[in-house]
mmCIF file of all heavy atoms in Angstrom:
data_model
loop_
_atom_site.group_PDB
_atom_site.id
_atom_site.type_symbol
_atom_site.label_atom_id
_atom_site.label_comp_id
_atom_site.label_asym_id
_atom_site.label_seq_id
_atom_site.Cartn_x
_atom_site.Cartn_y
_atom_site.Cartn_z
ATOM 1 N N ALA A 171 -1.038 -16.460 18.934
ATOM 2 C CA ALA A 171 -2.386 -16.026 19.115
ATOM 3 C C ALA A 171 -2.993 -15.988 17.706
ATOM 4 O O ALA A 171 -2.395 -16.050 16.653
ATOM 5 C CB ALA A 171 -2.358 -14.519 19.625
ATOM 6 N N ARG A 172 -4.473 -16.194 17.735
ATOM 7 C CA ARG A 172 -5.026 -16.084 16.507
ATOM 8 C C ARG A 172 -4.768 -14.957 15.656
ATOM 9 O O ARG A 172 -4.361 -13.752 16.313
ATOM 10 C CB ARG A 172 -6.564 -16.149 16.731
ATOM 11 C CG ARG A 172 -7.096 -17.501 17.295
ATOM 12 C CD ARG A 172 -8.696 -17.584 16.980
ATOM 13 N NE ARG A 172 -9.375 -16.308 17.409
ATOM 14 C CZ ARG A 172 -9.868 -16.144 18.607
ATOM 15 N NH1 ARG A 172 -9.464 -16.849 19.552
ATOM 16 N NH2 ARG A 172 -10.439 -14.822 19.021
ATOM 17 N N ARG A 173 -4.717 -14.933 14.449
ATOM 18 C CA ARG A 173 -4.332 -13.938 13.509
ATOM 19 C C ARG A 173 -5.010 -12.604 13.891
ATOM 20 O O ARG A 173 -4.388 -11.574 13.937
ATOM 21 C CB ARG A 173 -4.591 -14.247 12.089
ATOM 22 C CG ARG A 173 -3.980 -13.389 11.015
ATOM 23 C CD ARG A 173 -4.182 -14.049 9.708
ATOM 24 N NE ARG A 173 -3.922 -13.087 8.589
ATOM 25 C CZ ARG A 173 -2.657 -12.687 8.182
ATOM 26 N NH1 ARG A 173 -1.567 -13.265 8.692
ATOM 27 N NH2 ARG A 173 -2.622 -11.942 7.098
ATOM 28 N N GLU A 174 -6.196 -12.621 14.125
ATOM 29 C CA GLU A 174 -6.992 -11.261 14.260
ATOM 30 C C GLU A 174 -6.658 -10.813 15.670
ATOM 31 O O GLU A 174 -7.130 -9.620 16.023
ATOM 32 C CB GLU A 174 -8.510 -11.553 14.104
ATOM 33 C CG GLU A 174 -9.301 -12.148 15.247
ATOM 34 C CD GLU A 174 -9.312 -13.617 15.089
ATOM 35 O OE1 GLU A 174 -8.594 -14.344 14.353
ATOM 36 O OE2 GLU A 174 -10.374 -14.242 15.633
ATOM 37 N N MET A 175 -6.011 -11.546 16.509
ATOM 38 C CA MET A 175 -5.646 -11.090 17.905
ATOM 39 C C MET A 175 -4.304 -10.551 17.961
ATOM 40 O O MET A 175 -3.915 -9.827 18.978
ATOM 41 C CB MET A 175 -5.744 -12.245 18.856
ATOM 42 C CG MET A 175 -7.191 -12.880 19.003
ATOM 43 S SD MET A 175 -8.416 -11.723 19.345
ATOM 44 C CE MET A 175 -8.155 -11.356 21.051
ATOM 45 N N GLN A 176 -3.461 -10.745 16.956
ATOM 46 C CA GLN A 176 -2.109 -10.353 16.987
ATOM 47 C C GLN A 176 -1.904 -8.770 16.873
ATOM 48 O O GLN A 176 -2.753 -8.151 16.217
ATOM 49 C CB GLN A 176 -1.295 -10.978 15.853
ATOM 50 C CG GLN A 176 -1.181 -12.540 16.190
ATOM 51 C CD GLN A 176 -0.532 -13.271 15.103
ATOM 52 O OE1 GLN A 176 0.118 -12.656 14.147
ATOM 53 N NE2 GLN A 176 -0.564 -14.594 14.968
ATOM 54 N N ASN A 177 -0.929 -8.207 17.406
ATOM 55 C CA ASN A 177 -0.708 -6.758 17.357
ATOM 56 C C ASN A 177 0.125 -6.290 16.238
ATOM 57 O O ASN A 177 0.101 -5.129 15.842
ATOM 58 C CB ASN A 177 -0.042 -6.239 18.625
ATOM 59 C CG ASN A 177 -0.827 -6.455 19.929
ATOM 60 O OD1 ASN A 177 -0.450 -6.983 20.765
ATOM 61 N ND2 ASN A 177 -2.182 -6.075 19.758
ATOM 62 N N PHE A 178 0.790 -7.208 15.543
ATOM 63 C CA PHE A 178 1.520 -6.908 14.379
ATOM 64 C C PHE A 178 1.201 -7.934 13.387
ATOM 65 O O PHE A 178 1.283 -9.216 13.679
ATOM 66 C CB PHE A 178 3.083 -6.832 14.539
ATOM 67 C CG PHE A 178 3.399 -5.742 15.476
ATOM 68 C CD1 PHE A 178 3.662 -5.984 16.870
ATOM 69 C CD2 PHE A 178 3.593 -4.448 14.998
ATOM 70 C CE1 PHE A 178 4.054 -4.918 17.715
ATOM 71 C CE2 PHE A 178 3.967 -3.425 15.932
ATOM 72 C CZ PHE A 178 4.237 -3.694 17.231
ATOM 73 N N ILE A 179 1.065 -7.634 12.106
ATOM 74 C CA ILE A 179 0.849 -8.624 10.900
ATOM 75 C C ILE A 179 1.890 -8.326 9.958
ATOM 76 O O ILE A 179 2.108 -7.196 9.474
ATOM 77 C CB ILE A 179 -0.491 -8.429 10.426
ATOM 78 C CG1 ILE A 179 -1.646 -8.911 11.447
ATOM 79 C CG2 ILE A 179 -0.593 -9.313 9.070
ATOM 80 C CD1 ILE A 179 -1.632 -10.345 11.672
ATOM 81 N N TYR A 180 2.627 -9.396 9.609
ATOM 82 C CA TYR A 180 3.547 -9.317 8.410
ATOM 83 C C TYR A 180 3.141 -10.011 7.256
ATOM 84 O O TYR A 180 2.612 -11.098 7.300
ATOM 85 C CB TYR A 180 4.824 -9.944 8.844
ATOM 86 C CG TYR A 180 5.588 -9.177 10.022
ATOM 87 C CD1 TYR A 180 5.383 -9.460 11.414
ATOM 88 C CD2 TYR A 180 6.700 -8.478 9.679
ATOM 89 C CE1 TYR A 180 6.010 -8.898 12.341
ATOM 90 C CE2 TYR A 180 7.297 -7.752 10.696
ATOM 91 C CZ TYR A 180 6.991 -7.951 11.946
ATOM 92 O OH TYR A 180 7.645 -7.257 13.123
ATOM 93 N N LEU A 181 3.077 -9.318 6.131
ATOM 94 C CA LEU A 181 2.626 -9.799 4.879
ATOM 95 C C LEU A 181 3.688 -9.733 3.868
ATOM 96 O O LEU A 181 4.428 -8.865 3.649
ATOM 97 C CB LEU A 181 1.486 -9.012 4.482
ATOM 98 C CG LEU A 181 0.255 -8.848 5.364
ATOM 99 C CD1 LEU A 181 -0.542 -7.601 5.054
ATOM 100 C CD2 LEU A 181 -0.597 -10.080 5.297
ATOM 101 N N THR A 182 3.789 -10.846 3.107
ATOM 102 C CA THR A 182 4.724 -10.751 2.026
ATOM 103 C C THR A 182 3.852 -11.125 0.685
ATOM 104 O O THR A 182 3.797 -12.250 0.245
ATOM 105 C CB THR A 182 5.837 -11.813 2.128
ATOM 106 O OG1 THR A 182 5.347 -13.165 2.575
ATOM 107 C CG2 THR A 182 6.911 -11.476 3.140
ATOM 108 N N PRO A 183 3.293 -10.108 0.096
ATOM 109 C CA PRO A 183 2.487 -10.242 -1.093
ATOM 110 C C PRO A 183 3.499 -10.643 -2.374
ATOM 111 O O PRO A 183 4.660 -10.651 -2.130
ATOM 112 C CB PRO A 183 1.992 -8.818 -1.359
ATOM 113 C CG PRO A 183 2.272 -8.105 -0.032
ATOM 114 C CD PRO A 183 3.384 -8.709 0.526
ATOM 115 N N GLU A 184 2.973 -11.136 -3.338
ATOM 116 C CA GLU A 184 3.580 -11.460 -4.578
ATOM 117 C C GLU A 184 3.423 -10.496 -5.641
ATOM 118 O O GLU A 184 2.400 -9.625 -5.509
ATOM 119 C CB GLU A 184 2.990 -12.800 -5.103
ATOM 120 C CG GLU A 184 3.335 -14.065 -4.192
ATOM 121 C CD GLU A 184 2.663 -15.202 -4.658
ATOM 122 O OE1 GLU A 184 2.067 -15.290 -5.808
ATOM 123 O OE2 GLU A 184 2.706 -16.195 -3.863
ATOM 124 N N ALA A 185 4.187 -10.458 -6.595
ATOM 125 C CA ALA A 185 4.253 -9.502 -7.712
ATOM 126 C C ALA A 185 2.687 -9.783 -8.296
ATOM 127 O O ALA A 185 2.232 -10.961 -8.421
ATOM 128 C CB ALA A 185 5.095 -9.750 -8.768
ATOM 129 N N GLY A 186 1.987 -8.667 -8.595
ATOM 130 C CA GLY A 186 0.646 -8.858 -9.157
ATOM 131 C C GLY A 186 -0.424 -8.671 -8.131
ATOM 132 O O GLY A 186 -1.709 -8.731 -8.474
ATOM 133 N N ASP A 187 -0.090 -8.689 -6.794
ATOM 134 C CA ASP A 187 -1.061 -8.540 -5.798
ATOM 135 C C ASP A 187 -1.338 -7.110 -5.577
ATOM 136 O O ASP A 187 -0.496 -6.174 -5.862
ATOM 137 C CB ASP A 187 -0.705 -9.196 -4.470
ATOM 138 C CG ASP A 187 -0.610 -10.669 -4.549
ATOM 139 O OD1 ASP A 187 -1.294 -11.309 -5.338
ATOM 140 O OD2 ASP A 187 0.014 -11.300 -3.611
ATOM 141 N N VAL A 188 -2.521 -6.781 -5.112
ATOM 142 C CA VAL A 188 -2.832 -5.488 -4.575
ATOM 143 C C VAL A 188 -3.363 -5.565 -3.117
ATOM 144 O O VAL A 188 -4.229 -6.595 -2.913
ATOM 145 C CB VAL A 188 -3.885 -4.852 -5.521
ATOM 146 C CG1 VAL A 188 -5.093 -5.531 -5.833
ATOM 147 C CG2 VAL A 188 -4.261 -3.387 -5.184
ATOM 148 N N MET A 189 -2.951 -4.797 -2.342
ATOM 149 C CA MET A 189 -3.387 -4.726 -1.027
ATOM 150 C C MET A 189 -4.069 -3.462 -0.661
ATOM 151 O O MET A 189 -3.463 -2.379 -1.055
ATOM 152 C CB MET A 189 -2.230 -5.042 0.047
ATOM 153 C CG MET A 189 -1.237 -6.150 -0.207
ATOM 154 S SD MET A 189 -1.831 -7.761 0.497
ATOM 155 C CE MET A 189 -2.602 -7.244 1.874
ATOM 156 N N LEU A 190 -5.106 -3.395 0.002
ATOM 157 C CA LEU A 190 -5.759 -2.069 0.364
ATOM 158 C C LEU A 190 -5.998 -2.117 1.892
ATOM 159 O O LEU A 190 -6.283 -3.152 2.516
ATOM 160 C CB LEU A 190 -7.097 -1.905 -0.276
ATOM 161 C CG LEU A 190 -7.197 -2.030 -1.778
ATOM 162 C CD1 LEU A 190 -8.584 -2.002 -2.244
ATOM 163 C CD2 LEU A 190 -6.326 -0.846 -2.399
ATOM 164 N N TRP A 191 -5.884 -0.922 2.540
ATOM 165 C CA TRP A 191 -6.345 -0.820 3.948
ATOM 166 C C TRP A 191 -6.723 0.629 4.147
ATOM 167 O O TRP A 191 -6.560 1.550 3.299
ATOM 168 C CB TRP A 191 -5.072 -1.117 4.844
ATOM 169 C CG TRP A 191 -3.872 -0.342 4.437
ATOM 170 C CD1 TRP A 191 -3.569 0.947 4.959
ATOM 171 C CD2 TRP A 191 -2.836 -0.689 3.665
ATOM 172 N NE1 TRP A 191 -2.288 1.323 4.494
ATOM 173 C CE2 TRP A 191 -1.813 0.286 3.710
ATOM 174 C CE3 TRP A 191 -2.600 -1.851 2.882
ATOM 175 C CZ2 TRP A 191 -0.519 0.189 2.915
ATOM 176 C CZ3 TRP A 191 -1.363 -1.970 2.130
ATOM 177 C CH2 TRP A 191 -0.424 -0.870 2.204
ATOM 178 N N GLU A 192 -7.351 0.860 5.281
ATOM 179 C CA GLU A 192 -7.830 2.300 5.528
ATOM 180 C C GLU A 192 -6.506 3.128 5.907
ATOM 181 O O GLU A 192 -5.654 2.642 6.670
ATOM 182 C CB GLU A 192 -8.899 2.248 6.707
ATOM 183 C CG GLU A 192 -10.170 1.659 6.256
ATOM 184 C CD GLU A 192 -11.253 1.921 7.333
ATOM 185 O OE1 GLU A 192 -11.752 2.983 7.453
ATOM 186 O OE2 GLU A 192 -11.565 0.832 7.970
ATOM 187 N N SER A 193 -6.550 4.317 5.513
ATOM 188 C CA SER A 193 -5.400 5.123 5.349
ATOM 189 C C SER A 193 -4.828 5.462 6.881
ATOM 190 O O SER A 193 -3.646 5.873 6.967
ATOM 191 C CB SER A 193 -5.594 6.408 4.739
ATOM 192 O OG SER A 193 -5.984 6.105 3.357
ATOM 193 N N TRP A 194 -5.670 5.260 7.850
ATOM 194 C CA TRP A 194 -5.241 5.578 9.280
ATOM 195 C C TRP A 194 -4.366 4.348 9.768
ATOM 196 O O TRP A 194 -3.763 4.467 10.858
ATOM 197 C CB TRP A 194 -6.344 5.839 10.194
ATOM 198 C CG TRP A 194 -7.525 4.921 10.050
ATOM 199 C CD1 TRP A 194 -8.758 5.406 9.434
ATOM 200 C CD2 TRP A 194 -7.722 3.682 10.516
ATOM 201 N NE1 TRP A 194 -9.539 4.250 9.453
ATOM 202 C CE2 TRP A 194 -8.933 3.264 10.040
ATOM 203 C CE3 TRP A 194 -6.944 2.785 11.206
ATOM 204 C CZ2 TRP A 194 -9.507 1.886 10.450
ATOM 205 C CZ3 TRP A 194 -7.313 1.450 11.424
ATOM 206 C CH2 TRP A 194 -8.598 1.022 11.103
ATOM 207 N N LEU A 195 -4.329 3.254 9.124
ATOM 208 C CA LEU A 195 -3.592 2.078 9.630
ATOM 209 C C LEU A 195 -2.204 2.277 9.402
ATOM 210 O O LEU A 195 -1.640 2.412 8.377
ATOM 211 C CB LEU A 195 -4.025 0.795 8.864
ATOM 212 C CG LEU A 195 -3.557 -0.439 9.352
ATOM 213 C CD1 LEU A 195 -4.134 -0.746 10.824
ATOM 214 C CD2 LEU A 195 -4.000 -1.654 8.553
ATOM 215 N N ARG A 196 -1.408 2.298 10.614
ATOM 216 C CA ARG A 196 0.103 2.462 10.524
ATOM 217 C C ARG A 196 0.739 1.180 9.974
ATOM 218 O O ARG A 196 0.356 0.078 10.300
ATOM 219 C CB ARG A 196 0.622 2.756 11.889
ATOM 220 C CG ARG A 196 2.048 3.170 11.984
ATOM 221 C CD ARG A 196 2.396 3.607 13.450
ATOM 222 N NE ARG A 196 1.715 4.783 13.882
ATOM 223 C CZ ARG A 196 2.195 6.040 13.664
ATOM 224 N NH1 ARG A 196 3.332 6.246 13.085
ATOM 225 N NH2 ARG A 196 1.561 7.090 13.988
ATOM 226 N N HIS A 197 1.610 1.478 8.976
ATOM 227 C CA HIS A 197 2.348 0.361 8.388
ATOM 228 C C HIS A 197 3.721 0.722 8.078
ATOM 229 O O HIS A 197 4.235 1.956 8.132
ATOM 230 C CB HIS A 197 1.648 0.019 7.032
ATOM 231 C CG HIS A 197 1.413 1.151 6.070
ATOM 232 N ND1 HIS A 197 0.484 2.060 6.398
ATOM 233 C CD2 HIS A 197 2.039 1.542 5.025
ATOM 234 C CE1 HIS A 197 0.559 3.086 5.302
ATOM 235 N NE2 HIS A 197 1.512 2.652 4.494
ATOM 236 N N GLU A 198 4.552 -0.167 7.774
ATOM 237 C CA GLU A 198 5.905 -0.151 7.574
ATOM 238 C C GLU A 198 6.338 -1.201 6.692
ATOM 239 O O GLU A 198 5.798 -2.228 6.576
ATOM 240 C CB GLU A 198 6.553 -0.370 9.005
ATOM 241 C CG GLU A 198 8.012 -0.581 9.095
ATOM 242 C CD GLU A 198 8.478 -0.768 10.545
ATOM 243 O OE1 GLU A 198 7.518 -0.614 11.536
ATOM 244 O OE2 GLU A 198 9.678 -1.003 10.740
ATOM 245 N N VAL A 199 7.386 -0.821 5.873
ATOM 246 C CA VAL A 199 8.120 -1.778 5.025
ATOM 247 C C VAL A 199 9.465 -2.003 5.695
ATOM 248 O O VAL A 199 10.266 -1.213 5.757
ATOM 249 C CB VAL A 199 8.338 -1.205 3.570
ATOM 250 C CG1 VAL A 199 8.934 -2.197 2.668
ATOM 251 C CG2 VAL A 199 6.962 -0.839 2.991
ATOM 252 N N VAL A 200 9.572 -3.269 6.190
ATOM 253 C CA VAL A 200 10.756 -3.655 6.896
ATOM 254 C C VAL A 200 11.938 -3.799 5.868
ATOM 255 O O VAL A 200 11.796 -3.721 4.593
ATOM 256 C CB VAL A 200 10.518 -4.991 7.673
ATOM 257 C CG1 VAL A 200 9.396 -4.783 8.678
ATOM 258 C CG2 VAL A 200 10.411 -6.221 6.799
#
Side-chain angles (χ1 to χ4, degrees):
R172 291 196 315 274
R173 188 169 168 84
E174 77 268 26
M175 304 303 287
Q176 291 175 19
N177 296 128
F178 296 97
I179 292 289
Y180 291 82
L181 300 156
T182 46
E184 291 174 7
D187 286 341
V188 55
M189 310 275 326
L190 306 175
W191 53 87
E192 288 188 74
S193 302
W194 44 255
L195 188 64
R196 188 175 291 271
H197 56 282
E198 170 176 353
V199 180
V200 306

